[in-house]
Amino acid sequence: MEKSSASTRLAGAVHDLASEVVSALRGGGHSPAVCGEAGQFAGDDLGLAAVRVLGADLLLPSTLFRRRPQQADVTALHKAVRAFPPDATSSVVTVWSHWAMTQALHRLEETLAPGTETAPGTETGPGPGGRPAGRTDEMERERRGTAGEQPVAGIGPAGAGPAEPDVTWLTEAPWQRLTHQLAVLAALAVPGTDSGVARVAHGRPVDLARGFVRAVRRRDWLQAAAAGRWLALVDGVPDTLGLESGLEFVQHMGGSDARVALHVGAARLMRAGAPV
């Protein structure tokens, strides 16, 4: 009973956090920090676990709209990376999900690096102490580790991205398993991000389309929405699929699930060529 109650509370926290991301997506990335200025989702174990479940999608609005995320969100993601590192017993999907989080943080490092383009209103050039302008002292401490902590696992030195995990397990997966695994790793379905998982998805659009149809028929709206998000990113999707109407149907049927709304919203933004 206690375990069931904890699962229910975590599901509620994930729903609330995903709802904040959806709100930011619909607002064009202009809304305040997803985690709230008080860090409400990262201030306790339950909130931090919800951040870990959502993973790199915590920064999805800033990723899609190319806007610098609020510090509360960056701090929350850093904390989740430190709190839930994969170990020798972790599944390959967990390892890839962790990699996606560290990759999102690395992209932020590159965005704030001297000489790179930044979000509107962000100054360029080196800041105090030689750090990139726009990076706060708190952000720098989070990146390097505070109070003697080790740096975030998977985050290399400046200019070096996190080491990519193995992807051979996915390359030859049957289309049903392919769709299931890609759906779990939908946070990797963002423009401009190269990964082994994304390369597999790009190479199997027809199999992914079959998986999308199967998920709809099984009324698995979360998997359908996540598969649709991948389909919005890859080339070679069959015209006969009717992806736009399919996404609309999935939104209508499963939109009460904030994670469904998140994936469908991301898919539509990518298909519309919004400022991503």
Side-chain angles (χ1 to χ4, degrees), residues 10 13-14 17 41 45-55 84:
L10 176 58
V14 172
L17 186 56
F41 286 100
D45 291 342
L46 181 64
L48 201 58
V51 171
R52 177 60 187 90
V53 171
L54 205 62
F84 302 100

Side-chain angles (χ1 to χ4, degrees), residues 53-239:
V53 171
L54 205 62
D57 275 341
L58 185 73
L59 301 185
L60 183 62
S62 61
T63 299
L64 292 183
F65 291 100
R66 300 190 182 219
R67 296 182 181 278
R68 190 176 66 191
Q70 295 291 328
Q71 181 58 46
D73 299 336
V74 177
T75 298
L77 196 61
H78 269 293
K79 287 181 178 179
V81 166
R82 286 199 179 93
F84 302 100
D87 57 30
T89 65
S90 299
S91 69
V92 67
V93 171
T94 297
V95 173
W96 267 102
S97 177
H98 180 85
W99 181 87
M101 296 167 69
T102 60
Q103 180 69 9
L105 291 169
H106 177 67
R107 285 198 305 270
L108 177 60
E109 288 290 310
E110 290 184 325
T111 299
L112 297 180
T116 61
E117 293 184 3
T118 54
T122 302
E123 296 179 359
T124 59
R131 69 172 181 269
R135 183 182 297 155
T136 65
D137 290 332
E138 182 179 358
M139 185 183 295
E140 190 70 6
R141 286 194 299 270
E142 287 295 335
R143 186 183 75 85
R144 296 180 180 275
T146 57
E149 295 178 354
Q150 293 298 313
V152 178
I155 299 290
E164 186 175 295
D166 177 69
V167 77
T168 55
W169 57 277
L170 188 61
T171 305
E172 300 299 330
W175 62 270
Q176 300 94 329
R177 179 172 173 77
L178 172 79
T179 304
H180 171 73
Q181 300 290 56
L182 286 177
V184 176
L185 294 172
L188 284 163
V190 291
T193 300
D194 182 40
S195 69
V197 171
R199 290 190 291 273
V200 171
H202 279 283
R204 299 179 65 179
V206 175
D207 284 345
L208 189 52
R210 292 173 69 188
F212 174 78
V213 173
R214 179 174 182 266
V216 171
R217 288 176 175 171
R218 292 164 60 94
R219 304 177 70 84
D220 187 341
W221 308 122
L222 181 56
Q223 184 174 123
R229 176 173 167 178
W230 277 108
L231 288 166
L233 184 67
V234 305
D235 297 322
V237 177
D239 293 335

